[in-house]
Amino acid sequence: MTSSLHESRILRALAFTDGSFALIGVLVALHAHSLAIWLDALFSLLCALMIAFESSLVSRLGEPDSRQRPNGLAACEPLLVTLKGLVLMLICLLTAGKSVHSIWQGGHSTQELPLIAYGVFGMLLCGSLSWWLGGMARRLRSPILATEQHYFRFDALISLGVTLAFVISSLLQQSAWSWLAAYIDPMLSLVMVLITLPVALKVSRQGLWELLQLPADQHWQGEIERQILATLDAKERACIEPRLIKQGRRLRIQLHANPRNASWDSQQVTRLCQKVRQATEHCAPHLSVEWVISSP
């Protein structure tokens, strides 16, 4: 199974998991009257929607006909990243406005127990997914999964902050400073905005910069192509066409074999892919090599 199929299946599972977590967050926010949980739930929902788009995009990026439109599909990933950052900035600004208004009005009461339970659940879920995604990203050499690992780690840290804040709020309600408990939720929302807004700005800037940088550096691509051709013998060059496919943050090497010219068994294909990967390792480390049977 190719890495793009692995990525697509993992992303679909992540979209379902994150979407379910966001739905739980919305229900908890409605029940407990928490602005902070609203922000966390909307962040998770936004991530789930973008992951769902990425899951369909990953499988299409591997299509052979992307050679005729090398930057059309590749532009989708940075465009989605840019939109994700812009929408997240809008959510942060709206949450900041509501939080400031709540503080001005003297705060508001919340129900701490469901909020603490939600924070603990989110911390365990997102922390576990972040750890698992780190291993899968290294194994599949996937920058997409590495990016999602960053978001789930970030969400786990937010859930940790939510848990600690509402534990403090619960303790305050049983003390002489119980009036301070009403300010915990809007203050926590502002802190989360201050943490999330720089991330949203960074994501938007990176996505826009990547769009401006398409296509990849032609000299670098030419060097990779020369290394691939140099490592193939005359027979291999006669029946294999190497292609570089631009996919957002990365390139993929595809070896297109014409079935009319030669037949290849799995061991020959594996040896050839390894030989090409070793030949390009010094100028393009971690670049994946895929075998594609061209249509007769």
Side-chain angles (χ1 to χ4, degrees):
M1 185 181 295
T2 63
S3 60
S4 61
L5 286 177
H6 276 298
E7 287 174 333
S8 182
R9 291 183 177 183
I10 291 171
L11 289 172
R12 283 198 295 268
L14 289 177
F16 176 78
T17 303
D18 213 16
S20 302
F21 181 59
L23 179 60
I24 294 172
V26 169
L27 295 175
V28 171
L30 288 171
H31 176 72
H33 312 291
S34 171
L35 289 172
I37 301 304
W38 265 115
L39 176 59
D40 188 52
L42 289 175
F43 177 79
S44 296
L45 181 60
L46 176 63
C47 288
L49 291 174
M50 293 302 177
I51 292 171
F53 279 119
E54 287 176 353
S55 67
S56 59
L57 179 65
V58 164
S59 59
R60 293 202 62 197
L61 285 174
E63 294 176 358
D65 66 350
S66 58
R67 181 176 182 245
Q68 280 73 47
R69 46 181 183 181
N71 295 322
L73 289 176
C76 292
E77 186 186 347
L79 181 61
L80 285 175
V81 170
T82 304
L83 290 175
K84 187 177 187 177
L86 293 175
V87 174
L88 188 55
M89 280 193 287
L90 179 61
I91 292 172
C92 287
L93 293 175
L94 292 174
T95 303
K98 290 182 69 67
S99 299
V100 171
H101 181 265
S102 177
I103 293 172
W104 184 262
Q105 296 295 321
H108 59 266
S109 60
T110 55
Q111 299 183 40
E112 278 70 23
L113 186 58
L115 297 175
I116 293 172
Y118 174 81
V120 171
F121 174 69
M123 183 174 57
L124 294 175
L125 176 65
C126 296
S128 300
L129 285 174
S130 176
W131 176 81
W132 179 71
L133 281 172
M136 293 302 296
R138 287 189 295 271
R139 199 176 92 183
L140 299 178
R141 299 178 179 180
S142 169
I144 295 178
L145 296 184
T147 301
E148 297 308 328
Q149 180 203 13
H150 169 77
Y151 282 117
F152 277 98
R153 183 171 64 241
F154 180 74
D155 216 356
L157 293 175
I158 288 179
S159 297
L160 174 61
V162 166
T163 304
L164 294 176
F166 288 113
V167 166
I168 293 172
S169 177
S170 180
L171 294 175
L172 283 174
Q173 286 186 353
Q174 302 172 29
S175 69
W177 298 282
S178 57
W179 59 275
L180 288 173
Y183 292 95
I184 290 292
D185 185 66
M187 289 298 295
L188 176 61
S189 300
L190 283 179
V191 171
M192 290 170 64
V193 165
L194 292 175
I195 294 173
T196 307
L197 194 56
V199 175
L201 289 169
K202 180 180 179 181
V203 166
S204 299
R205 179 175 55 82
Q206 287 177 341
L208 286 171
W209 179 250
E210 188 173 327
L211 285 171
L212 293 174
Q213 291 297 307
L214 289 172
D217 180 76
Q218 296 298 318
H219 175 74
W220 180 64
Q221 290 195 41
E223 176 63 23
I224 296 175
E225 290 172 347
R226 284 191 292 272
Q227 292 294 331
I228 295 173
L229 291 174
T231 197
L232 300 177
D233 58 34
K235 178 184 176 182
E236 292 167 342
R237 284 196 295 269
C239 55
I240 295 174
E241 180 188 0
R243 300 178 186 176
L244 288 177
I245 306 300
K246 183 75 169 64
Q247 298 186 23
R249 296 180 180 85
R250 58 182 170 175
L251 284 170
R252 293 176 105 99
I253 299 173
Q254 289 188 345
L255 302 178
H256 286 251
N258 189 335
R260 292 178 177 175
N261 294 341
S263 59
W264 303 83
D265 59 38
S266 60
Q267 292 183 348
Q268 290 176 312
V269 169
T270 300
R271 282 197 298 268
L272 185 58
C273 289
Q274 289 175 347
K275 183 169 70 171
V276 170
R277 186 178 293 114
Q278 290 171 1
T280 57
E281 187 71 23
H282 71 285
C283 58
H286 310 304
L287 210 61
S288 63
V289 180
E290 298 174 351
W291 181 263
V292 179
I293 303 296
S294 299
S295 300

PDB file of all heavy atoms in Angstrom, residues 247-262:
ATOM      1  N   GLN A 247       3.821  18.349  -4.569  1.00  0.00           N
ATOM      2  CA  GLN A 247       2.686  18.140  -3.679  1.00  0.00           C
ATOM      3  C   GLN A 247       2.832  19.045  -2.463  1.00  0.00           C
ATOM      4  O   GLN A 247       3.366  18.643  -1.432  1.00  0.00           O
ATOM      5  CB  GLN A 247       2.589  16.693  -3.224  1.00  0.00           C
ATOM      6  CG  GLN A 247       2.360  15.726  -4.371  1.00  0.00           C
ATOM      7  CD  GLN A 247       2.120  14.323  -3.859  1.00  0.00           C
ATOM      8  OE1 GLN A 247       1.730  14.130  -2.742  1.00  0.00           O
ATOM      9  NE2 GLN A 247       2.366  13.339  -4.692  1.00  0.00           N
ATOM     10  N   GLY A 248       2.367  20.252  -2.577  1.00  0.00           N
ATOM     11  CA  GLY A 248       2.425  21.159  -1.445  1.00  0.00           C
ATOM     12  C   GLY A 248       3.828  21.366  -0.948  1.00  0.00           C
ATOM     13  O   GLY A 248       4.663  21.942  -1.625  1.00  0.00           O
ATOM     14  N   ARG A 249       4.115  20.867   0.258  1.00  0.00           N
ATOM     15  CA  ARG A 249       5.430  21.062   0.862  1.00  0.00           C
ATOM     16  C   ARG A 249       6.486  20.099   0.337  1.00  0.00           C
ATOM     17  O   ARG A 249       7.624  20.145   0.771  1.00  0.00           O
ATOM     18  CB  ARG A 249       5.331  20.875   2.382  1.00  0.00           C
ATOM     19  CG  ARG A 249       4.460  21.901   3.063  1.00  0.00           C
ATOM     20  CD  ARG A 249       4.441  21.612   4.569  1.00  0.00           C
ATOM     21  NE  ARG A 249       3.622  22.563   5.257  1.00  0.00           N
ATOM     22  CZ  ARG A 249       2.317  22.457   5.396  1.00  0.00           C
ATOM     23  NH1 ARG A 249       1.690  21.436   4.868  1.00  0.00           N
ATOM     24  NH2 ARG A 249       1.624  23.371   6.043  1.00  0.00           N
ATOM     25  N   ARG A 250       6.148  19.207  -0.537  1.00  0.00           N
ATOM     26  CA  ARG A 250       7.108  18.169  -0.890  1.00  0.00           C
ATOM     27  C   ARG A 250       7.033  17.791  -2.356  1.00  0.00           C
ATOM     28  O   ARG A 250       6.084  18.107  -3.063  1.00  0.00           O
ATOM     29  CB  ARG A 250       6.844  16.930  -0.041  1.00  0.00           C
ATOM     30  CG  ARG A 250       5.439  16.405  -0.218  1.00  0.00           C
ATOM     31  CD  ARG A 250       5.187  15.220   0.674  1.00  0.00           C
ATOM     32  NE  ARG A 250       3.777  14.890   0.667  1.00  0.00           N
ATOM     33  CZ  ARG A 250       3.260  13.850   1.270  1.00  0.00           C
ATOM     34  NH1 ARG A 250       4.035  13.029   1.927  1.00  0.00           N
ATOM     35  NH2 ARG A 250       1.984  13.610   1.241  1.00  0.00           N
ATOM     36  N   LEU A 251       8.055  17.085  -2.780  1.00  0.00           N
ATOM     37  CA  LEU A 251       8.078  16.456  -4.095  1.00  0.00           C
ATOM     38  C   LEU A 251       8.027  14.952  -3.891  1.00  0.00           C
ATOM     39  O   LEU A 251       8.516  14.427  -2.896  1.00  0.00           O
ATOM     40  CB  LEU A 251       9.355  16.819  -4.848  1.00  0.00           C
ATOM     41  CG  LEU A 251       9.448  18.210  -5.459  1.00  0.00           C
ATOM     42  CD1 LEU A 251      10.870  18.452  -5.930  1.00  0.00           C
ATOM     43  CD2 LEU A 251       8.489  18.354  -6.619  1.00  0.00           C
ATOM     44  N   ARG A 252       7.451  14.265  -4.864  1.00  0.00           N
ATOM     45  CA  ARG A 252       7.485  12.806  -4.881  1.00  0.00           C
ATOM     46  C   ARG A 252       8.141  12.382  -6.184  1.00  0.00           C
ATOM     47  O   ARG A 252       7.872  12.939  -7.245  1.00  0.00           O
ATOM     48  CB  ARG A 252       6.076  12.219  -4.800  1.00  0.00           C
ATOM     49  CG  ARG A 252       5.359  12.465  -3.490  1.00  0.00           C
ATOM     50  CD  ARG A 252       3.956  11.915  -3.588  1.00  0.00           C
ATOM     51  NE  ARG A 252       3.825  10.677  -2.855  1.00  0.00           N
ATOM     52  CZ  ARG A 252       3.310  10.593  -1.620  1.00  0.00           C
ATOM     53  NH1 ARG A 252       2.925  11.686  -1.009  1.00  0.00           N
ATOM     54  NH2 ARG A 252       3.211   9.444  -1.009  1.00  0.00           N
ATOM     55  N   ILE A 253       8.992  11.381  -6.106  1.00  0.00           N
ATOM     56  CA  ILE A 253       9.576  10.791  -7.310  1.00  0.00           C
ATOM     57  C   ILE A 253       8.682   9.633  -7.742  1.00  0.00           C
ATOM     58  O   ILE A 253       8.424   8.716  -6.959  1.00  0.00           O
ATOM     59  CB  ILE A 253      11.002  10.281  -7.050  1.00  0.00           C
ATOM     60  CG1 ILE A 253      11.921  11.429  -6.615  1.00  0.00           C
ATOM     61  CG2 ILE A 253      11.559   9.588  -8.284  1.00  0.00           C
ATOM     62  CD1 ILE A 253      13.301  10.965  -6.191  1.00  0.00           C
ATOM     63  N   GLN A 254       8.207   9.683  -8.963  1.00  0.00           N
ATOM     64  CA  GLN A 254       7.413   8.590  -9.509  1.00  0.00           C
ATOM     65  C   GLN A 254       8.153   7.989 -10.694  1.00  0.00           C
ATOM     66  O   GLN A 254       8.590   8.712 -11.592  1.00  0.00           O
ATOM     67  CB  GLN A 254       6.036   9.077  -9.946  1.00  0.00           C
ATOM     68  CG  GLN A 254       5.121   9.446  -8.788  1.00  0.00           C
ATOM     69  CD  GLN A 254       3.698   9.746  -9.239  1.00  0.00           C
ATOM     70  OE1 GLN A 254       3.446   9.943 -10.423  1.00  0.00           O
ATOM     71  NE2 GLN A 254       2.781   9.778  -8.297  1.00  0.00           N
ATOM     72  N   LEU A 255       8.295   6.664 -10.688  1.00  0.00           N
ATOM     73  CA  LEU A 255       8.919   5.931 -11.788  1.00  0.00           C
ATOM     74  C   LEU A 255       7.799   5.284 -12.599  1.00  0.00           C
ATOM     75  O   LEU A 255       7.175   4.316 -12.158  1.00  0.00           O
ATOM     76  CB  LEU A 255       9.879   4.869 -11.247  1.00  0.00           C
ATOM     77  CG  LEU A 255      11.010   5.397 -10.347  1.00  0.00           C
ATOM     78  CD1 LEU A 255      11.856   4.240  -9.831  1.00  0.00           C
ATOM     79  CD2 LEU A 255      11.870   6.413 -11.085  1.00  0.00           C
ATOM     80  N   HIS A 256       7.529   5.833 -13.771  1.00  0.00           N
ATOM     81  CA  HIS A 256       6.440   5.341 -14.612  1.00  0.00           C
ATOM     82  C   HIS A 256       6.990   4.290 -15.579  1.00  0.00           C
ATOM     83  O   HIS A 256       7.821   4.591 -16.439  1.00  0.00           O
ATOM     84  CB  HIS A 256       5.800   6.494 -15.382  1.00  0.00           C
ATOM     85  CG  HIS A 256       4.936   7.360 -14.523  1.00  0.00           C
ATOM     86  ND1 HIS A 256       3.564   7.382 -14.610  1.00  0.00           N
ATOM     87  CD2 HIS A 256       5.262   8.221 -13.526  1.00  0.00           C
ATOM     88  CE1 HIS A 256       3.082   8.226 -13.726  1.00  0.00           C
ATOM     89  NE2 HIS A 256       4.088   8.755 -13.056  1.00  0.00           N
ATOM     90  N   ALA A 257       6.524   3.053 -15.412  1.00  0.00           N
ATOM     91  CA  ALA A 257       6.992   1.935 -16.240  1.00  0.00           C
ATOM     92  C   ALA A 257       5.972   1.624 -17.326  1.00  0.00           C
ATOM     93  O   ALA A 257       4.764   1.577 -17.065  1.00  0.00           O
ATOM     94  CB  ALA A 257       7.224   0.711 -15.368  1.00  0.00           C
ATOM     95  N   ASN A 258       6.464   1.426 -18.533  1.00  0.00           N
ATOM     96  CA  ASN A 258       5.602   1.038 -19.642  1.00  0.00           C
ATOM     97  C   ASN A 258       5.521  -0.488 -19.689  1.00  0.00           C
ATOM     98  O   ASN A 258       6.530  -1.158 -19.918  1.00  0.00           O
ATOM     99  CB  ASN A 258       6.166   1.577 -20.964  1.00  0.00           C
ATOM    100  CG  ASN A 258       5.192   1.392 -22.122  1.00  0.00           C
ATOM    101  OD1 ASN A 258       4.334   0.518 -22.101  1.00  0.00           O
ATOM    102  ND2 ASN A 258       5.340   2.227 -23.138  1.00  0.00           N
ATOM    103  N   PRO A 259       4.355  -1.067 -19.459  1.00  0.00           N
ATOM    104  CA  PRO A 259       4.259  -2.545 -19.413  1.00  0.00           C
ATOM    105  C   PRO A 259       4.553  -3.208 -20.745  1.00  0.00           C
ATOM    106  O   PRO A 259       4.825  -4.405 -20.800  1.00  0.00           O
ATOM    107  CB  PRO A 259       2.809  -2.780 -18.969  1.00  0.00           C
ATOM    108  CG  PRO A 259       2.077  -1.536 -19.360  1.00  0.00           C
ATOM    109  CD  PRO A 259       3.077  -0.416 -19.225  1.00  0.00           C
ATOM    110  N   ARG A 260       4.513  -2.469 -21.838  1.00  0.00           N
ATOM    111  CA  ARG A 260       4.792  -3.069 -23.148  1.00  0.00           C
ATOM    112  C   ARG A 260       6.279  -3.356 -23.345  1.00  0.00           C
ATOM    113  O   ARG A 260       6.656  -4.240 -24.114  1.00  0.00           O
ATOM    114  CB  ARG A 260       4.312  -2.127 -24.261  1.00  0.00           C
ATOM    115  CG  ARG A 260       2.799  -1.993 -24.334  1.00  0.00           C
ATOM    116  CD  ARG A 260       2.411  -0.996 -25.421  1.00  0.00           C
ATOM    117  NE  ARG A 260       0.970  -0.907 -25.562  1.00  0.00           N
ATOM    118  CZ  ARG A 260       0.365  -0.046 -26.374  1.00  0.00           C
ATOM    119  NH1 ARG A 260       1.093   0.780 -27.116  1.00  0.00           N
ATOM    120  NH2 ARG A 260      -0.950  -0.015 -26.442  1.00  0.00           N
ATOM    121  N   ASN A 261       7.122  -2.573 -22.658  1.00  0.00           N
ATOM    122  CA  ASN A 261       8.562  -2.700 -22.877  1.00  0.00           C
ATOM    123  C   ASN A 261       9.213  -3.766 -22.010  1.00  0.00           C
ATOM    124  O   ASN A 261      10.178  -4.398 -22.401  1.00  0.00           O
ATOM    125  CB  ASN A 261       9.244  -1.354 -22.619  1.00  0.00           C
ATOM    126  CG  ASN A 261       8.826  -0.311 -23.634  1.00  0.00           C
ATOM    127  OD1 ASN A 261       8.339  -0.634 -24.698  1.00  0.00           O
ATOM    128  ND2 ASN A 261       9.002   0.952 -23.286  1.00  0.00           N
ATOM    129  N   ALA A 262       8.720  -3.940 -20.795  1.00  0.00           N
ATOM    130  CA  ALA A 262       9.343  -4.912 -19.889  1.00  0.00           C
ATOM    131  C   ALA A 262       8.375  -5.257 -18.779  1.00  0.00           C
ATOM    132  O   ALA A 262       7.461  -4.497 -18.472  1.00  0.00           O
ATOM    133  CB  ALA A 262      10.638  -4.337 -19.298  1.00  0.00           C
TER     134      ALA A 262
END
